[in-house]
Amino acid sequence: MISSPLLYLLALVFLASFVSFIEQKSKLKIFKFVPAVVMIYIFSMVLASLNVFEQNEDINAVYENTKKYLLPAMLFLMLLQVDIRDFFKLGKSLLIAYSLAVFSIVFGFIAVSWAFSFDADMAGAFGALSGSWTGGMANMVAVGTALGVSQEAFGYALIVDSVNYTIWMMFLLFLTPFAHYFNAFTASHEQMAKLEAIECIAALGKKRYLLLIFLSALVSIGVNFLAYSGFEILNYTTTTVILATVLGILGSFTRLKTINGSSSAGSAMLYMLIALIGSKALFENFSGVGVYVFGGFCILVIHTLIMVAGAKVFKLDLFSIAVASLSNIGGVASASILAATYNRALVGVGVLMAVMGFIIGTFVGLAVGNILIWLAK
């Protein structure tokens, strides 16, 4: 049993690094269905369930402090190389499709929450999940932490995210060959003209990790100091999350955007956060996960109906609504893959839509999460 807070952190760092290394270096097909972040969470949860980590005062303290400072640092780095101006370079139909996707997902969460009469735990879990389904995993962690979601409830959300996302992506890829039938149904004109791929993440030059870590640490300390000094938006964690997000967005308009390596450093911090959260979860608390997964499917059904109806009204093609959907529910990688199945020249569209999620996901997730918690009262 690990009782030292230093060994506790080292064990989690090793776990996150090892799983990430295996994902990058191996060609294991399992990572196509179970992402590295989910693997890290599961293994961390297994270690916690086997009582490898002693739940003493020192470990609990280092857990809280690490998460408190690592979260805003990660958000700042993940947003630093995103330029919101690129998103508006998309065509009108793609902007409508993206807006429709966000609206339908938000509506689905609220409708299912009301229909299922969520209790506080389920409301918190689906609030965190809404951050992921309108943004990404980083947004999910930010929203879940800001809403004070328990480790068990966050685990439910992570499982729902993984299961539903995997099936949804396979379904959208399956529909690709039938695009012309759908486009005939919606009377949509050909909208898949080649678009120039817009580079959203700096990929040239030396990766300046030390500078990025220094900047992210400065931001993390700064936002925590402001929250501690009495400047609060809803609560302490929400304050740090929002401030770090705003600073990341503002930084993307400056020369900080050209510093290479922020995406890699931010991803490393995300993996560590997932390992931390998993280390506080236990297997015996996951007996009711089926209800959560079913709730996730119901949200997808509502999302689908609204997207199809919107496509008919606005004459949108299957590519537009499918990529808009997956860019929210999946993220950059999956949206790019789906876009490439239609036309490789359209990969940039998937990237831009998914990148937009990093910007709005935290704000949308916080709004939806607070609505769900209010409905649960």
Side-chain angles (χ1 to χ4, degrees):
M1 180 180 290
I2 295 175
S3 58
S4 166
L6 178 59
L7 290 177
Y8 165 70
L9 282 180
L10 285 174
L12 294 180
V13 169
F14 175 78
L15 171 63
S17 302
F18 180 75
V19 175
S20 176
F21 177 80
I22 295 298
E23 180 193 36
Q24 293 176 24
K25 298 299 181 181
S26 72
K27 296 182 179 180
L28 296 175
K29 292 184 178 179
I30 190 171
F31 285 108
K32 294 182 179 179
F33 304 100
V34 185
V37 287
V38 178
M39 286 279 198
I40 291 169
Y41 184 87
I42 291 173
F43 285 129
S44 183
M45 184 174 61
V46 168
L47 294 176
S49 299
L50 294 175
N51 295 316
V52 172
F53 307 125
E54 183 180 307
Q55 301 302 316
N56 60 39
E57 210 171 295
D58 290 337
I59 284 182
N60 290 336
V62 79
Y63 166 82
E64 293 294 339
N65 285 320
T66 302
K67 190 168 73 169
K68 181 170 71 173
Y69 287 100
L70 201 58
L71 179 59
M74 176 208 66
L75 288 172
F76 173 74
L77 290 179
M78 295 289 260
L79 289 164
L80 199 57
Q81 291 181 342
V82 173
D83 193 335
I84 193 172
R85 292 169 295 189
D86 289 338
F87 177 75
F88 295 102
K89 295 178 182 178
L90 297 174
K92 179 182 176 182
S93 62
L94 294 172
L95 292 175
I96 292 174
Y98 181 82
S99 301
L100 194 64
V102 175
F103 166 77
S104 59
I105 291 170
V106 169
F107 180 81
F109 272 96
I110 296 173
V112 168
S113 174
W114 175 79
F116 278 54
S117 298
F118 282 177
D119 58 22
D121 279 343
M122 281 192 87
F126 276 85
L129 182 63
S130 70
S132 176
W133 281 12
T134 55
M137 185 58 65
N139 304 93
M140 181 179 181
V141 174
V143 173
T145 304
L147 293 176
V149 177
S150 67
Q151 284 77 23
E152 292 79 15
F154 185 85
Y156 279 126
L158 197 59
I159 292 171
V160 174
D161 188 29
S162 179
V163 172
N164 286 270
Y165 153 71
T166 301
I167 294 174
W168 188 241
M169 182 175 179
M170 289 190 295
F171 174 68
L172 292 180
L173 287 170
F174 168 77
L175 289 179
T176 304
F178 306 101
H180 58 287
Y181 294 113
F182 184 87
N183 296 343
F185 165 72
T186 58
S188 57
H189 301 291
E190 181 59 46
Q191 300 177 44
M192 293 174 57
K194 291 185 178 182
L195 301 175
E196 290 184 5
I198 302 172
E199 192 67 45
C200 299
I201 299 176
L204 299 175
K206 184 178 180 181
K207 290 181 170 63
R208 303 183 181 276
Y209 291 123
L210 289 178
L211 176 58
L212 290 166
I213 291 171
F214 171 75
L215 289 173
S216 63
L218 202 62
V219 167
S220 181
I221 293 170
V223 299
N224 273 283
F225 175 78
L226 284 173
Y228 183 77
S229 65
F231 176 78
E232 284 197 3
I233 305 171
L234 297 180
N235 58 51
Y236 186 102
T237 308
T238 303
T239 303
T240 60
V241 164
I242 290 178
L243 289 177
T245 300
V246 171
L247 287 173
I249 294 171
L250 292 176
S252 70
F253 287 92
T254 70
R255 293 181 63 183
L256 293 177
K257 180 183 179 180
T258 62
I259 302 175
N260 194 18
S262 61
S263 179
S264 300
S267 296
M269 292 180 182
L270 171 62
Y271 284 4
M272 183 61 190
L273 280 165
I274 292 295
L276 275 169
I277 295 170
S279 71
K280 292 293 182 179
L282 300 173
F283 261 125
E284 54 262 30
N285 297 321
F286 288 82
S287 57
V289 69
V291 177
Y292 285 74
V293 172
F294 179 68
F297 278 120
C298 290
I299 293 171
L300 290 178
V301 169
I302 294 172
H303 167 60
T304 302
L305 293 174
I306 293 176
M307 291 296 283
V308 172
K312 182 67 174 177
V313 172
F314 296 106
K315 297 183 178 180
L316 303 175
D317 60 294
L318 183 61
F319 165 79
S320 298
I321 65 168
V323 172
S325 172
L326 199 58
S327 67
N328 279 278
I329 295 171
V332 174
S334 52
S336 301
I337 292 170
L338 181 61
T341 61
Y342 287 87
N343 188 330
R344 289 188 178 183
L346 296 172
V347 168
V349 174
V351 172
L352 285 175
M353 285 188 177
V355 163
M356 186 63 181
F358 284 129
I359 297 174
I360 71 167
T362 300
F363 298 109
V364 174
L366 286 172
V368 171
N370 279 289
I371 291 173
L372 300 191
I373 291 172
W374 176 74
L375 288 174
K377 293 180 179 179

